[in-house]
């Protein structure tokens, strides 16, 4: 017993000493045993063929291959452009139904709504303070979108890559499935993780990209652009809830060229090659095998073959989506449970970051102090009026400095100004 008590006492003393000396003296140990997958999707309409082949299909596979997987419906990202709140709420539920119908299993992964975990925005702000403005302005998506909107991009649009970094780092994610268009944003995430670790000690894993084999599905009407929900040409995008007739019509109108033979030559025959890539992906076949089976077939006939393959792939998913959308309570329950699980993981990480950046007490001590303070509320009523507890009427009120000392707040004048100035720009990306 005596030996056990001595060991406990030594552990407590070491912790208290590390708390006062800061993270440089006691770096946070890094655990590499857990591989954690994180990815997110915006709830802006029903997923399309590109979303399914480029992300969701690999999500289903990853949840079977790894023990710790989180998928977020990133509704905070969607409000970087104006949204109708009623429509957005329904879109969140529709996206939940679509993901479940595609095979996302809440028993194998954590499916949650981003805005229900407040730590995302807290960490985002702390990371935003580590990024310089030119770095965000040079990101290609910001340039493209502001050019399209004639320089009317919002601050949310500018800084959403930092929120994206917070989404990933908040769970100490090690791997992120992304498309080619998000690789530059992932470089920002990696730089932020490395900068934070350099300044505060090893804390965040530097996440790696997982690129799917179907990297980017192209528009059916413009093979030089990716398939998009926001494409004004309704024939350009195939949604997973489209009827068989709609799918056939869209593939019939798909852009090809004047050569009727089916070949896979992305550099010179973008339209036909896009159809071959889609066919191979939905059929689960190599591109070479698809081309071999299509020998002697002209592109007009081949378009209908691809349409049939897509219809067959999406038929059971479409049926399941319709069933799930009828049960709103179930969809809301899935998001509530998932958000609670996500918050259990996010809260301690965010508290540790606050402790490292702001020198706050660790979360367990913070919660204990809140509990102790709540029991003393009744005795602090006189304090709110400017008098210390137990003072008699007519006594002089406390000064502002006395209030701060009573609350345990350090006087600003005790902090060396040169130290503040030296640290103000340290660790920026």
């Amino acid at each position: 017993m005596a030996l056990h008590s001595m060991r406990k006492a030594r552990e407590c003393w070491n912790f208290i000493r590390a708390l006062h000396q800061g993270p440089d003296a006691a770096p946070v140990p890094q655990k590499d045993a857990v591989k954690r997958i994180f990815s997110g999707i915006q709830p802006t309409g029903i997923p399309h063929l590109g979303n399914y082949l480029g992300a969701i299909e690999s999500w289903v596979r990853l949840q079977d291959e790894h023990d710790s997987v989180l998928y977020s419906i990133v509704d905070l990202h969607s409000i970087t452009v104006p949204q109708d709140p009623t429509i957005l709420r329904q879109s969140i539920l529709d996206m939940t139904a679509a993901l479940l119908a595609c095979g996302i299993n809440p028993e194998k992964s954590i499916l949650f709504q981003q805005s229900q975990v407040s730590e995302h925005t807290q960490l985002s702000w702390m990371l935003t303070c580590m990024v310089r403005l030119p770095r965000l302005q040079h990101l290609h998506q910001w340039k493209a979108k502001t050019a399209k909107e004639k320089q009317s991009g919002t601050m949310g649009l500018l800084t959403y890559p930092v929120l994206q970094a917070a989404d990933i780092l908040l769970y100490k994610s090690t791997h992120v499935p992304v498309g080619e268009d998000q690789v530059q944003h992932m470089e920002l995430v990696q730089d932020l993780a490395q900068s934070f670790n350099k300044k505060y000690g090893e804390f965040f894993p530097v996440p790696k990209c997982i690129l799917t084999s179907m990297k980017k599905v192209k528009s059916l009407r413009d093979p030089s652009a990716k398939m998009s929900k926001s494409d004004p040409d309704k024939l350009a995008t195939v949604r997973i809830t489209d009827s068989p007739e709609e799918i056939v019509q869209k593939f019939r109108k798909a852009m090809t060229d004047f050569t009727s033979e089916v070949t896979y030559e992305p550099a010179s025959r973008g339209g036909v090659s896009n159809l071959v890539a889609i066919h191979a992906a939905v059929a689960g076949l190599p591109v070479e095998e698809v081309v071999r089976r299509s020998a002697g077939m002209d592109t007009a006939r081949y378009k209908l073959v691809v349409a049939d393959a897509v219809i067959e792939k999406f038929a059971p998913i479409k049926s399941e989506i319709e069933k799930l959308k009828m049960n709103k309570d179930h969809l809301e329950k899935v998001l509530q449970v998932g958000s609670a699980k996500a918050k259990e993981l996010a809260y301690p990480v965010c508290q540790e970051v606050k402790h490292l950046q702001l020198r706050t007490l660790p979360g367990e001590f913070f919660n204990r102090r809140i509990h102790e303070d709540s029991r003393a509320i009744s005795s602090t009523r006189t304090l709110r009026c400017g008098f210390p507890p137990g003072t008699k009427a007519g006594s002089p009120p406390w000064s502002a400095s006395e209030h701060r000392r009573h609350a345990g707040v350090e006087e600003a004048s005790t902090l060396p100004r040169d130290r503040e100035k030296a640290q103000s720009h340290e660790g920026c990306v």
Side-chain angles (χ1 to χ4, degrees):
M1 286 294 292
L3 181 61
H4 177 74
S5 299
M6 290 176 63
R7 185 178 298 127
K8 281 291 183 182
R10 186 163 54 250
E11 289 176 357
C12 290
W13 171 246
N14 288 339
F15 178 81
I16 293 170
R17 183 169 56 188
L19 188 62
H20 284 283
Q21 291 178 342
D24 293 335
V28 179
Q30 182 68 54
K31 295 181 179 179
D32 297 322
V34 177
K35 179 180 285 189
R36 178 164 291 162
I37 311 294
F38 179 91
S39 195
I41 189 169
Q42 290 193 38
T44 49
I46 293 294
H48 55 68
L49 179 62
N51 296 141
Y52 180 80
L53 296 177
I56 299 173
E57 193 173 47
S58 67
W59 287 12
V60 175
R61 185 184 70 255
L62 289 169
Q63 73 178 2
D64 293 327
E65 296 174 350
H66 302 282
D67 294 329
S68 187
V69 181
L70 296 98
Y71 298 132
S72 179
I73 297 176
V74 287
D75 50 338
L76 292 174
H77 287 287
S78 66
I79 62 173
T80 55
V81 295
Q83 299 285 343
D84 182 312
T86 303
I87 295 175
L88 179 58
R89 179 59 191 164
Q90 186 58 51
S91 296
I92 292 168
L93 296 177
D94 289 348
M95 181 59 73
T96 306
L99 293 175
L100 294 175
C102 289
I104 298 301
N105 186 346
E107 299 299 322
K108 297 180 179 180
S109 58
I110 297 176
L111 176 61
F112 71 100
Q113 185 178 343
Q114 178 196 32
S115 64
Q116 298 306 305
V117 183
S118 59
E119 286 75 11
H120 284 258
T121 50
Q122 293 180 44
L123 181 57
S124 176
W125 173 250
M126 289 184 277
L127 295 179
T128 298
C129 295
M130 297 177 63
V131 184
R132 296 187 182 279
L133 180 61
R135 178 68 188 274
L136 298 178
Q137 291 174 324
H138 289 159
L139 294 174
H140 69 272
Q141 289 203 9
W142 166 254
K143 290 181 177 180
K145 290 180 179 179
T146 51
K148 186 183 298 184
E149 297 174 14
K150 297 180 179 179
Q151 303 300 322
S152 62
T154 64
M155 283 300 297
L157 188 62
L158 175 68
T159 61
Y160 95 87
V162 187
L163 176 57
Q164 187 178 53
D167 298 337
I168 296 165
L169 298 179
L170 183 59
Y171 301 97
K172 294 192 172 182
S173 309
T174 59
H175 292 78
V176 183
V178 295
E180 284 181 328
D181 57 328
Q182 290 294 322
V183 170
Q184 194 181 42
H185 287 180
M186 275 301 299
E187 291 174 353
L188 175 64
V189 179
Q190 293 164 344
D191 289 346
L192 280 168
Q194 291 169 341
S195 296
F196 189 95
N197 292 345
K198 182 178 179 180
K199 186 173 182 180
Y200 300 107
E202 288 300 316
F203 184 78
F204 289 121
V206 179
K208 298 179 181 178
C209 298
I210 300 176
L211 288 173
T212 59
S213 56
M214 187 68 183
K215 295 179 181 179
K216 187 185 293 185
V217 178
K218 304 297 181 64
S219 162
L220 295 184
R221 301 290 292 166
D222 180 8
S224 66
K226 72 173 184 177
M227 188 173 286
S228 171
K229 297 174 190 174
S230 59
D231 197 314
D233 189 340
K234 301 303 180 184
L235 297 175
T237 304
V238 177
R239 289 170 174 78
I240 61 178
T241 54
D242 282 348
S243 67
E245 294 76 18
E246 288 173 321
I247 293 174
V248 168
Q249 181 190 24
K250 289 177 179 181
F251 276 99
R252 273 181 172 166
K253 297 291 185 178
M255 181 178 293
T256 51
D257 52 35
F258 298 106
T259 303
S260 62
E261 185 182 2
V262 177
T263 61
Y264 185 72
E265 303 170 57
S268 57
R269 303 191 69 198
V272 176
S273 298
N274 187 37
L275 295 179
V276 172
I278 291 171
H279 189 189
V282 298
L285 297 171
V287 166
E288 295 78 13
E289 179 63 16
V290 167
V291 172
R292 188 188 67 79
R293 293 186 182 187
S294 305
M297 189 182 302
D298 61 34
T299 52
R301 170 61 185 154
Y302 183 64
K303 289 179 181 181
L304 299 180
V305 171
V306 180
D308 287 342
V310 172
I311 292 168
E312 183 179 356
K313 184 73 173 180
F314 284 164
I317 296 174
K318 182 174 182 292
S319 176
E320 185 64 18
I321 289 175
E322 292 171 355
K323 291 179 184 177
L324 288 167
K325 288 175 70 173
M326 298 296 290
N327 193 345
K328 180 180 176 181
D329 290 342
H330 172 65
L331 298 176
E332 290 179 341
K333 184 67 174 178
V334 167
L335 292 179
Q336 289 170 2
V337 172
S339 297
K341 290 180 180 178
K343 194 172 184 71
E344 286 182 7
L345 297 174
Y347 177 80
V349 174
C350 194
Q351 289 300 316
E352 288 182 76
V353 173
K354 287 180 181 179
H355 170 55
L356 292 171
Q357 276 197 325
L358 307 175
R359 295 299 188 268
T360 59
L361 289 173
E364 59 186 278
F365 288 92
F366 179 78
N367 289 339
R368 188 184 308 159
R369 178 151 182 192
I370 288 294
H371 177 68
E372 292 171 353
D373 287 351
S374 66
R375 294 188 301 178
I377 288 177
S378 59
S379 66
T380 60
R381 290 181 179 177
T382 54
L383 177 61
R384 293 180 183 176
C385 299
F387 296 94
T391 56
K392 296 179 181 180
S395 299
W398 278 3
S399 67
S401 61
E402 287 173 322
H403 275 298
R404 286 194 291 270
R405 284 199 297 273
H406 180 75
V409 179
E410 219 181 326
E411 289 285 347
S413 60
T414 63
L415 297 176
R417 293 189 178 182
D418 55 344
R419 180 180 167 189
E420 288 183 356
K421 187 175 181 180
Q423 291 181 344
S424 61
H425 297 294
E426 187 179 343
C428 291
V429 176

